[in-house]
Every structure is written in structure tokens, then in C-alpha cells.
Amino acid sequence: MDKFGLPARYQGQQESVWEEYIQLAADYDPLDLGQGFPDFSPPEYIISALDQVIKDKDILLHQYTRGCGHPRLISILSKLYSHLIGRSIDPEKEILVSTGAYGALYSTMMGHIDQGDEVIIIEPFFDCYEPMVLTAGGIPRFVPLRYNNNNSSILKSSDWTLDPEELEKAFNSKTKAIIINTPNNPLGKVFTENELQMIANLCKKWNVICISDEVYEWLVYEPQKHIRIASLPGMWERTITVGSAGKTFSITGWKIGWAYGPANLIHNLHIVHQNSIYTCSTPLQEAIAIGFEKEFSCLGQDNCYFTSLPRQLEQKKNYMADFLTKMGMKPIIPDGGYFMIADWSSLESEIDLSAENDKYKDYCFTKWLTKNVGIQGIPPSAFYSESHKPLGEKLVRFCFIKEDEKLKKAAEILENWKQRNN
Ligand SMILES: Cc1ncc(COP(=O)(O)O)c(C=O)c1O
């Protein structure tokens, strides 16, 4: 018996792509378009809110707060989502605040998935879903979004859709939950009302919980609209929706996220949270509450950060699509989020990947790109289950929530490489 080994429930789980690629960036110092965070300042008011909180005379703001969510934060989250979902959300019983969306997802999985439960995961998926389901004892069932050729030279994230028959076949009496992510990381797909309705119908038919990761809920490009599956008829009672202050206010390092849903489902998350995290940072939650109070007062207006940030990103998205195309890749234009997937396969004949010996070609390509061109992207096969990884091999993921200067530099580096190789 190996007393010092990894417990059985974690065995077989690999080092995540983030660990490997953060190390790669440290070793080669490329221009980093890999990791998903902004390299520019968050809105001024959220920084001054934190500053104000830290200096506040109320010294209790430095102490533990209510375990499942700081009162001021759950109060404004309940106002905001009651308005968006169209029903009254109880701040104490129907919300959990945790350490980022990761924490909320963890409490969701541990609080609902039991040994042998089947959980449907739509691919490509944010990579932590699979290990979390496995750790909870669940059995993941993967259903990939399938590419439908739109006969246009421009590829779009909406060209990837669910095959209704394939999805339906994945449901059975053992299905406990389905995990969806809209807007999707890495694809940038924003699920349409029809698609969500199809998922909702199956959830109702098979009495399944819907875990909806909506961390990019405010990053949607016109004319697309973000639809919350919890707001569809009959779905509130079976949906847990996950959000992130990191993505909402461009403060990924603050690591505050939440889940909301009906009291009976959120109760189970509260139990897990109380016995693992217990409570999150008080000053950060207070400052985020101030940020939300400000945004709630101007929701939908031009001066609302939730309106202005996607407008600012739209230009960066177009700029990136342009320089990737010039380099010879085929970008897939996202409808949401801040990542762009591109098909790099037409470059394959021009480059020598023989020095890289990873199992999947997108790993070889991204490593080659970091070492030889000086740009870092992420291999999308990391967002697929083992048997579907080939679906990601022709692709690379780049992040465009970066300063214009940085994107310009990336364009120059790629252009210079292209010229040297022509
Ligand atoms: C789809 C998705 N879900 C969850 C998370 C985790 O968010 P947080 O940083 O709030 O834990 C991320 C972060 O990149 C993400 O892309």
C-alpha cells in the first residue's frame, strides 16, 4: 500500500494544460496570447472600491464574513439576476459565492454528482469539468459540437452545432446532469434559444440537472444575445448557473465567483462549500458588490461596463482575425468570449514540427510556435475528451483581450515570420 500516493479518486488525472503552458512561457518568454486574462487595467471604479473598502472605518470588513456569500454581494447579485431571469431570487438560499467560478463549479459537482451518475459534457469544454466529474465519482458522457460547413470563406463559431440525435442518445435514466458553457470557451459559440430549448426539453424529459457555466455572459458580440437557460420555461427548478467576477470586471486574479439556482439545489452546494472553502475574502466581495451596484444602476446603457467592454473587444477580435488570416490561418469568428480559435492546417506543409513529439498535432504546433516564432497559443485538444481529441488537432486558441500594442506586436511577429518563409 502506497501511503504517500495520490488517492484513487484522483488517479489517472493529468497535469492540466495550464501548468504545462505556463512553464513553456516561463522557459521561452513568448508574446503570450495563451492564457485568458486582460493585460490592461480593470475599470477604475472597482480598484477605488477596493481601496475604499481597505481603508474603511468598519474594521469588520477585514474579518470573516457570512460563509456562503458576503451580505452586500449576495444582495446585489440577487437583484441583478432576479431582474435578468425574471423571478425573485432569495439571496441567502439561492446563491453561493465561492473562489471563482472554479469554486462554484466544484461545489456544484461535489454537491450533486454521486458514484455512477452519468454527466453529459458538451465539447469542446472548459478543461476542469471532466476531472471534477470523475473526482465526484461520476461518468462523463461527451457530446461534441459538430462543424457544419457554411459554404462561406469565413468560419464562424455558430457553424458548430449539436447533432440533435447524438445529444438525445446521450441521455438515459442514469443521467444526473448536463454541463453547458455559453458563451463557450474555447470556441466562442453562443448557444441560440432553439439550441437551449432542445437541451431544456431533454433535461425535463429525463429529469436532469443543468449546470450552466456562463462566466462570459457579458462578452457577447452584436447581434448575438446571451440567453440564460435558467430563464426558459420549467428550467429554473433544475438549473445551477455559474458566474465569475473575474470575467465580469476584468479582475481574474480576485477569484470570486458564484452559483445561483433554486434553494433545494443550492443547499447542496452550501454544504460542500461550508466544509471545504467555508468563506471567501470579505474586502474583495465588498468591492465587487460596489462594482455591481454601480453597473446595475446603468444596466443596458452605453456607459455600463457590460456594454462598453464587448464593444471594445469587438475591434480587437476583428484585428486578430485579420492578422491570423494574413498569416495563412483560418480564424473562426467567435460570437462571444475573448478567445479565437484558428485552423492552422494550411501552414503544415511550410513548417517542420519534427522536433516536437507530442501525441496531438495541436500540441506540436503550439510548442513550435512558441519556440520558433515567439507567440504562445493553447492547443484546443485540451478541451476534448481522449477519444475526441483529434477534433481539436488542426486548431489553436488565442486570447484577444490584450492591449492594442500587444496585438500589433503579435501581428508584426507573425508577418515577419511569414515573409521570412515565403
Ligand atoms: C468557461 C470557464 N469557466 C470557468 C472559468 C473559471 O473562472 P474563475 O477564474 O472565476 O474561477 C473559466 C476561466 O477561464 C472559464 O473559461
Side-chain angles (χ1 to χ4, degrees):
M1 181 192 180
D2 178 8
K3 291 194 177 175
F4 292 3
L6 195 63
R9 65 182 173 278
Y10 283 107
Q11 267 169 30
Q13 296 186 17
Q14 316 281 335
E15 182 186 56
S16 84
V17 66
W18 315 116
E19 297 298 322
E20 188 179 2
Y21 275 67
I22 287 169
Q23 189 55 50
L24 187 71
D27 293 346
Y28 289 90
D29 196 26
L31 188 142
D32 191 356
L33 300 180
Q35 275 225 71
F37 57 78
D39 64 350
F40 48 80
S41 181
E44 221 308 287
Y45 65 81
I46 197 107
I47 298 177
S48 41
L50 184 58
D51 190 42
Q52 175 196 320
V53 170
I54 294 291
K55 293 177 186 148
D56 201 288
K57 287 201 198 72
D58 181 0
I59 50 151
L60 288 180
L61 285 170
H62 295 286
Q63 306 307 329
Y64 291 137
T65 183
R66 180 179 168 274
C68 290
H70 181 58
R72 188 165 179 180
L73 181 56
I74 54 169
S75 162
I76 187 64
L77 285 173
S78 116
K79 276 197 192 116
L80 174 70
Y81 288 113
S82 295
H83 170 76
L84 296 169
I85 297 282
R87 62 172 299 129
S88 169
I89 296 178
D90 181 329
E92 292 192 356
K93 297 199 174 111
E94 298 188 317
I95 297 177
L96 166 73
V97 175
S98 190
T99 40
Y102 260 100
L105 284 164
Y106 184 82
S107 291
T108 304
M109 312 274 192
M110 298 305 148
H112 284 282
I113 299 166
D114 221 332
Q115 210 65 34
D117 286 341
E118 294 192 12
V119 179
I120 299 172
I121 301 180
I122 297 175
E123 297 175 295
F125 60 89
F126 187 56
D127 66 312
C128 71
Y129 304 160
E130 182 181 10
M132 285 189 189
V133 168
L134 290 171
T135 307
I139 303 168
R141 295 273 177 244
F142 298 98
V143 179
L145 289 158
R146 301 279 180 191
Y147 173 61
N148 302 288
N149 193 335
N150 67 6
N151 289 323
S152 148
S153 56
I154 299 172
L155 307 181
K156 305 190 299 306
S157 61
S158 54
D159 298 336
W160 272 258
T161 57
L162 287 167
D163 173 343
E165 270 181 38
E166 196 177 7
L167 181 66
E168 182 150 18
K169 271 199 203 135
F171 282 79
N172 64 56
S173 58
K174 291 200 208 112
T175 313
K176 181 71 163 282
I178 179 168
I179 309 175
I180 64 170
N181 172 215
T182 181
N184 173 272
N185 172 12
L187 196 51
K189 178 184 171 68
V190 174
F191 283 73
T192 63
E193 183 158 359
N194 280 347
E195 289 171 318
L196 294 175
Q197 195 58 66
M198 171 172 74
I199 295 169
N201 291 343
L202 288 165
C203 286
K204 286 185 269 180
K205 177 173 172 189
W206 292 99
N207 193 25
V208 162
I209 297 170
C210 179
I211 302 168
S212 189
D213 179 343
E214 301 184 13
V215 299
Y216 300 102
E217 62 192 316
W218 300 109
L219 299 176
V220 174
Y221 305 109
E222 283 170 11
Q224 301 306 322
K225 295 256 172 296
H226 175 62
I227 297 167
R228 295 174 174 80
I229 194 166
S231 68
L232 298 186
M235 284 307 284
W236 169 257
E237 23 302 65
R238 57 181 67 257
T239 303
I240 298 167
T241 308
V242 172
S244 163
K247 310 294 176 182
T248 303
F249 293 105
S250 304
I251 46 171
T252 59
W254 290 26
K255 284 300 286 182
I256 298 289
W258 51 85
Y260 62 89
N264 60 326
L265 296 188
I266 296 298
H267 170 77
N268 297 359
L269 278 63
H270 283 179
I271 299 286
V272 176
H273 179 83
Q274 282 161 16
N275 296 315
S276 51
I277 310 272
Y278 170 52
T279 187
C280 298
S281 155
T282 311
L284 293 181
Q285 291 190 72
E286 176 87 1
I288 291 164
I290 296 172
F292 267 122
E293 286 162 7
K294 180 186 175 308
E295 294 306 330
F296 189 59
S297 69
C298 59
L299 205 60
Q301 293 168 24
D302 286 349
N303 58 341
C304 179
Y305 188 64
F306 306 161
T307 312
S308 62
L309 182 63
R311 285 195 186 144
Q312 188 192 348
L313 289 183
E314 174 98 46
Q315 290 164 18
K316 295 180 189 291
K317 173 185 81 147
N318 295 340
Y319 184 73
M320 178 175 272
D322 203 47
F323 73 71
L324 293 179
T325 308
K326 283 193 188 128
M327 199 233 180
M329 298 197 204
K330 275 197 209 139
I332 297 159
I333 310 299
D335 283 329
Y338 46 53
F339 300 108
M340 185 172 291
I341 295 268
D343 182 332
W344 58 271
S345 58
S346 56
L347 297 176
E348 201 172 346
S349 56
E350 300 172 36
I351 59 185
D352 177 11
L353 297 180
S354 60
E356 306 300 335
N357 51 14
D358 280 80
K359 187 166 169 198
Y360 296 104
K361 270 194 195 160
D362 55 335
Y363 272 79
C364 298
F365 175 70
T366 44
K367 287 182 183 174
W368 170 86
L369 194 68
T370 295
K371 295 176 192 171
N372 298 277
V373 183
I375 302 271
Q376 184 161 47
I378 296 291
S381 65
F383 303 92
Y384 282 94
S385 60
E386 195 57 39
S387 59
H388 290 152
K389 283 192 188 294
L391 292 173
E393 275 192 294
K394 289 196 307 189
L395 308 173
V396 52
R397 190 197 81 170
F398 295 114
C399 174
F400 57 82
I401 189 163
K402 303 292 175 194
E403 287 279 17
D404 289 348
E405 270 310 301
K406 189 165 192 177
L407 295 176
K408 207 166 144 224
K409 183 94 186 107
E412 278 166 19
I413 294 175
L414 292 172
E415 201 179 316
N416 288 343
W417 175 83
K418 189 79 186 156
Q419 273 174 10
R420 279 201 311 275
N421 286 275
N422 269 344

